Amino acid sequence: MSLRRAIFPGSFDPLTNGHLDIIKRSLPLFDEIIIAVLNNPEKKPMFSVEERCAMLREILPEIKNGKCALIVDSFSGLTADFARQKDAQAIVRGIRAISDYEYELRMALMNRRLEPNIETVFLMAAEEYSYVSSNLMKQVFTLGGRVEGLIPELVETRMREKLNKTL
Ligand code: ADP
């Protein structure tokens, strides 16, 4: 039997409870999930790709459950290329609202054209995180708003350290 391997690609700048919710929902579906952190220096991220990977590696053991292995890796370039290199059968994406759908549909169809054997699997976010995005969390936190319960505590601590450094 071959391994059911998926990649879950994204910026994760930073990781939110919405991302964790999607990872938890994926656990029973696959034997191995590679959380694939996109290296996107041109987007001026808050956290370097190494910092984002380190936070994921620290937090993921808390949600691990069952046999599915969780691996953190980073990539640049095409998601479809990375998925093929890793021998993954699926690309996991989260859908929060209709507004995500159009973009995700285009990406899924393009990725299917590039790699016909790799399926995109969409999972619906939990309602309580359906408005949570990394960008919104960064904006609210930077302006002094409360984001408790929407991002892991470790991420909040790291964001505070970042802010204090730049002040
Ligand atoms: P990108 O930069 O490609 O948007 P993100 O890091 O924002 O990547 O997100 C990675 C994946 O996680 C995407 O499929 C996105 O839809 C999903 N996602 C992000 N936030 C949430 C959330 N609150 N609930 C469910 N899925 C989410």
Side-chain angles (χ1 to χ4, degrees):
M1 270 247 315
S2 67
L3 212 61
R4 292 170 309 156
R5 183 182 289 124
I7 67 162
F8 179 40
S11 304
F12 304 101
D13 184 44
L15 177 69
T16 69
N17 286 351
H19 294 128
L20 288 175
D21 179 70
I22 295 295
I23 298 170
K24 279 187 205 161
R25 289 172 198 281
S26 317
L27 289 174
L29 306 177
F30 300 100
D31 301 309
E32 188 178 296
I33 302 167
I34 302 171
I35 321 300
V37 179
L38 180 64
N39 192 356
N40 49 353
E42 69 289 342
K43 260 197 177 175
K44 292 248 165 71
M46 182 178 218
F47 293 99
S48 70
V49 73
E50 293 79 18
E51 289 170 325
R52 285 178 264 158
C53 288
M55 279 188 269
L56 273 158
R57 289 198 180 100
E58 229 177 290
I59 291 164
L60 287 180
E62 291 171 22
I63 64 156
K64 199 177 166 343
N65 170 21
K67 287 209 205 100
C68 180
L70 286 174
I71 293 164
V72 178
D73 205 345
S74 63
F75 75 107
S76 31
L78 290 173
T79 304
D81 283 345
F82 182 74
R84 181 178 27 80
Q85 282 160 22
K86 294 289 166 183
D87 223 359
Q89 295 90 347
I91 298 171
V92 171
R93 295 289 289 176
I95 299 262
R96 285 164 282 202
I98 286 286
S99 48
D100 279 339
Y101 176 77
E102 264 189 61
Y103 171 76
E104 292 293 343
L105 177 68
R106 267 185 281 137
M107 292 303 289
L109 293 177
M110 191 66 220
N111 283 333
R112 181 187 281 167
R113 188 187 165 101
L114 294 169
E115 286 299 329
N117 296 325
I118 301 178
E119 285 298 336
T120 300
V121 175
F122 291 113
L123 297 173
M124 304 305 149
E127 298 90 270
E128 66 259 46
Y129 303 129
S130 60
Y131 61 96
V132 173
S133 69
S134 299
N135 276 341
L136 185 63
M137 295 303 103
K138 283 187 281 193
Q139 278 173 11
V140 172
F141 186 82
T142 307
L143 296 172
R146 279 185 56 229
V147 288
E148 202 185 312
L150 303 178
I151 56 172
E153 271 178 41
L154 174 80
V155 172
E156 197 173 337
T157 307
R158 293 280 187 277
M159 287 215 288
R160 188 163 303 113
E161 289 166 2
K162 267 278 157 194
L163 269 189
N164 289 342
K165 245 187 237 165
T166 52
L167 285 180

